[in-house]
Amino acid sequence: METLAPLWKSHERSYGKNRYVYPVLSRRAGGISVGINLNPDKGCNFDCVYCQVDRTPSGMEGADPVHRTVEVGRLLDELAALLESVHKGDFFRTGPFDALPAELRCIADIAFSGDGEPTMVPEFSAILNAVATTRNTTPGLSHVPIRIITNGTGLFKSRIRRLLRETLFLNQPLPPDGKSSSGGKTDEIWFKIDAADPGSFSRIDRSALTFDRYRNAVSEALRDLPVTLQTMVMDIRAPESPFRPEGAWAEAMRDWVTTLLREGSDIREWHLYTVARKPPTPEIVAISAERLRHLADFFRESVSCPIAVFP
């Protein structure tokens, strides 16, 4: 798998002349993730310290200065074309995806991710419905999960939570499709929690939300929807104030996730991962696989949900 390292680390949101739809090789999904980018303007209500989206003046060249209405028809055309290319095998005849072994030459998911927070886009509801309909009615695709990769803030709205419950297969397996079975898979919400105390939240996520408001809204959302937690774990090698996850950060995370579960949150799994792609500053550094596993073991002493690590 070492030969695939450049693909694991490259999550470019560009593919041909597409504006919204792009493929990446996802280590967590286990194959080709078909990305839906609703934020070509790179708009996000968090400014995470590790985010690889370049929002510097040079990085914003070519990006929309403000949100432009998402063209649903164009998005669906791009999605259909990419899916057909994968189905026919043409997709795997050109670089860099021609290097993939047979077991990774599959569509692992359709993921709402991209260059910002998808659930905050005004057109999110209409687009999710359209993409789910395409998935459900396209031969050979109905067993492929849709994943919402989110910082969770859009889910603070009850109407968005209702939309997700009514549109996705969150609590029942996806239906089999001809020769393909879902293997019991469901659609998923990958909900980011990177910090469990005010100082870490301010330093890592850099949101305008107060931590108390954020914490209360997260608790409400997670009692209403099943989620997979996702947590970025890293070192910050700032000379004046270095940060390591061991110690206070880990203890706060352990305590909050334990409390969330005790109070009825439906957390299906917890993903711990570290920096895989180029961060915005050299101060952001990946931690070793050994340290990540040790943190997982520390959490498992108190946390009852399954924990997976992705070095």
Side-chain angles (χ1 to χ4, degrees):
M1 290 291 184
E2 286 299 317
T3 59
L4 299 177
L7 279 174
W8 296 125
K9 294 180 179 181
S10 175
H11 279 202
E12 295 293 329
R13 272 60 158 183
S14 60
Y15 181 68
K17 296 182 179 180
N18 285 7
R19 177 172 175 79
Y20 304 110
V21 178
Y22 62 97
V24 297
L25 178 62
S26 171
R27 55 187 172 147
R28 288 195 286 159
I32 297 298
S33 180
V34 176
I36 307 289
N37 183 11
L38 303 185
N39 302 91
D41 59 346
K42 301 185 180 182
C44 193
N45 58 347
F46 277 29
D47 183 24
C48 299
V49 68
Y50 57 81
C51 183
Q52 80 276 12
V53 177
D54 187 355
R55 296 186 176 91
T56 63
S58 61
M60 292 299 292
E61 290 181 8
D64 295 334
V66 295
H67 178 72
R68 195 167 83 190
T69 300
V70 176
E71 303 167 61
V72 180
R74 177 174 176 177
L75 186 154
L76 294 176
D77 287 344
E78 292 177 3
L79 179 61
L82 178 56
L83 294 173
E84 182 179 16
S85 177
V86 171
H87 178 69
K88 289 183 175 180
D90 298 340
F91 177 80
F92 299 109
R93 296 191 184 102
T94 56
F97 296 101
D98 56 345
L100 292 182
E103 64 270 18
L104 294 178
R105 295 190 173 209
C106 62
I107 296 176
D109 65 16
I110 299 171
F112 282 78
S113 182
D115 286 329
E117 175 50 41
T119 65
M120 300 298 291
V121 171
E123 301 85 14
F124 175 70
S125 297
I127 293 165
L128 178 64
N129 274 307
V131 170
T133 298
T134 297
R135 186 274 306 273
N136 297 342
T137 58
T138 300
L141 201 65
S142 65
H143 67 288
V144 173
I146 291 173
R147 292 190 170 106
I148 312 297
I149 301 176
T150 174
N151 65 28
T153 50
L155 281 58
F156 297 169
K157 300 173 183 177
S158 60
R159 64 177 178 83
I160 297 296
R161 300 199 298 270
R162 184 170 60 251
L163 166 76
L164 294 171
R165 287 195 305 270
E166 294 175 352
T167 307
L168 300 179
F169 289 84
L170 294 174
N171 290 302
Q172 57 181 312
L174 290 159
D177 183 14
K179 298 178 182 178
S180 301
S181 168
S182 70
K185 291 180 180 177
T186 63
D187 294 324
E188 294 178 340
I189 300 164
W190 286 7
F191 192 112
K192 179 175 84 107
I193 295 181
D194 292 327
D197 65 272
S200 297
F201 181 69
S202 175
R203 183 167 191 184
I204 295 172
D205 292 325
R206 300 190 296 192
S207 168
L209 289 170
T210 66
F211 180 71
D212 285 344
R213 182 182 173 194
Y214 169 75
R215 182 182 179 113
N216 292 336
V218 167
S219 299
E220 180 180 345
L222 267 56
R223 287 194 296 269
D224 202 21
L225 288 171
V227 301
T228 294
L229 290 188
Q230 53 172 2
T231 298
M232 171 64 78
V233 188
M234 69 203 148
D235 287 339
I236 304 177
R237 296 182 181 173
E240 309 82 15
S241 54
F243 169 89
R244 286 172 62 89
E246 294 86 355
W249 176 90
E251 292 166 4
M253 289 294 294
R254 174 201 61 193
D255 293 347
W256 191 20
V257 175
T258 300
T259 298
L260 287 169
L261 288 163
R262 186 176 63 245
E263 293 179 347
S265 292
D266 191 355
I267 300 173
R268 303 286 174 85
E269 191 172 37
W270 187 5
H271 289 180
L272 303 178
Y273 62 111
T274 192
V275 180
R277 299 181 291 282
K278 184 180 179 181
T281 165
E283 292 180 349
I284 308 302
V285 179
I287 69 168
S288 68
E290 181 181 19
R291 288 174 63 197
L292 199 60
R293 286 192 291 268
H294 284 166
L295 282 165
D297 289 340
F298 172 74
F299 293 141
R300 290 185 184 110
E301 293 175 2
S302 304
V303 174
S304 58
C305 69
I307 298 174
V309 298
F310 299 89

